[in-house]
Amino acid sequence: EVQLLESGGDLVQPGGSLRLSCAASGFTFSNYAMSWVRQAPGKGLEWVSGIGGGLDDTHYADSVKGRFTISRDNSKSTLSLQMNSLRAEDTAIYFCAKDAIPYNGVWDPFDFWGQGTLVTVSS
Amino acid sequence: EIVLTQSPGTLSLSPGERATLSCRASHSVTNNYLAWYQQKPGLAPRLLIYGASNRATGIPDRFSGSGSGTDFTLTVSRLEPEDFAVYYCQHYDTSPPRTFGQGTKVEIK
């Protein structure tokens, strides 16, 4: 059974940093691209960042580029998101999501999602 | 970057009725790389449709997707009580970002 378990969400002051983690199980983690998707309170879904099969194959939404860094540890089946220079508008539930098909150069839809972790940026 | 516009914002229908949701792309979607998700309050989204018209594993056949190019549709043939939720379309391709539409809420009339 595929499971994605996020952790690390917290209340942080503007300008602060936070590191989110997503522990994956039930599938061959290294074969799949992974992403972070966020949802601000009462709002829609926003893709934040994705990482492909290669550790250097990373992509970011313009809203977080230069502030957030995605990474993965295939030996521990763990996805991470380092968030720096946090702003109030980064307040959201952050979901970890798995691509539906083993990575082959095409970024696929998400067939499994974690339950999300809440990040609140406020003074 | 492709921008996806969903309509209507809210759809008020009764159980048993047909729901038709629209997703319009700002540019043509390559290879119909368009997905639909359902999200209920407090839960993560669930993949319904991929490749514009393919049902994901375990999705009932009352859900169907159609369209190509810039215009896509999600249809729920007969609404069940559990189908009242928010629906999002998403574009995916060889290069990010994988943008979402703003969502359509299907509510009980």
Side-chain angles (χ1 to χ4, degrees):
Chain A
E1 178 192 5
V2 172
Q3 290 193 343
L4 299 171
L5 186 61
E6 302 95 336
S7 61
D10 205 347
L11 171 63
V12 61
Q13 292 189 341
S17 297
L18 208 57
R19 187 177 183 87
L20 305 183
S21 295
C22 172
S25 60
F27 64 102
T28 305
F29 182 73
S30 60
N31 288 352
Y32 292 83
M34 300 290 296
S35 287
W36 290 97
V37 177
R38 70 185 179 184
Q39 187 168 36
K43 302 298 183 182
L45 302 171
E46 179 188 15
W47 175 83
V48 172
S49 180
I51 184 167
L55 301 184
D56 294 331
D57 189 11
T58 60
H59 302 269
Y60 301 92
D62 287 345
S63 58
V64 306
K65 201 171 293 182
R67 300 187 299 122
F68 290 11
T69 302
I70 191 172
S71 61
R72 64 191 299 162
D73 184 338
N74 289 335
S75 68
K76 296 181 179 179
S77 296
T78 300
L79 177 72
S80 297
L81 185 69
Q82 177 66 41
M83 304 186 295
N84 298 330
S85 303
L86 283 162
R87 306 166 179 167
E89 54 264 36
D90 295 319
T91 294
I93 295 173
Y94 285 72
F95 296 100
C96 163
K98 167 190 168 291
D99 269 25
I101 298 172
Y103 186 64
N104 59 359
V106 175
W107 298 79
D108 294 301
F110 306 126
D111 63 346
F112 284 96
W113 301 62
Q115 84 293 344
T117 187
L118 177 62
V119 173
T120 303
V121 184
S122 174
S123 54
Chain B
E1 176 181 333
I2 290 182
V3 175
L4 300 175
T5 302
Q6 293 186 238
S7 61
T10 302
L11 201 50
S12 298
L13 295 168
S14 301
E17 289 193 297
R18 181 185 189 90
T20 303
L21 287 67
S22 173
C23 177
R24 177 161 290 178
S26 58
H27 309 289
S28 185
V29 175
T30 308
N31 295 326
N32 289 338
Y33 285 153
L34 194 287
W36 290 92
Y37 299 85
Q38 176 194 67
Q39 187 180 31
K40 298 179 182 178
L43 297 180
R46 176 175 71 147
L47 178 65
L48 299 175
I49 300 288
Y50 64 93
S53 61
N54 303 290
R55 272 187 300 276
T57 302
I59 301 304
D61 60 7
R62 64 180 181 273
F63 290 92
S64 64
S66 63
S68 64
T70 60
D71 290 297
F72 299 88
T73 300
L74 174 70
T75 301
V76 188
S77 58
R78 288 178 56 87
L79 284 165
E80 297 287 340
E82 63 267 27
D83 299 336
F84 291 91
V86 180
Y87 293 83
Y88 296 93
C89 58
Q90 181 205 25
H91 162 256
Y92 57 98
D93 203 336
T94 52
S95 57
R98 282 180 280 180
T99 52
F100 290 92
Q102 81 279 21
T104 290
K105 181 179 182 180
V106 179
E107 66 177 19
I108 299 177
K109 187 175 181 180

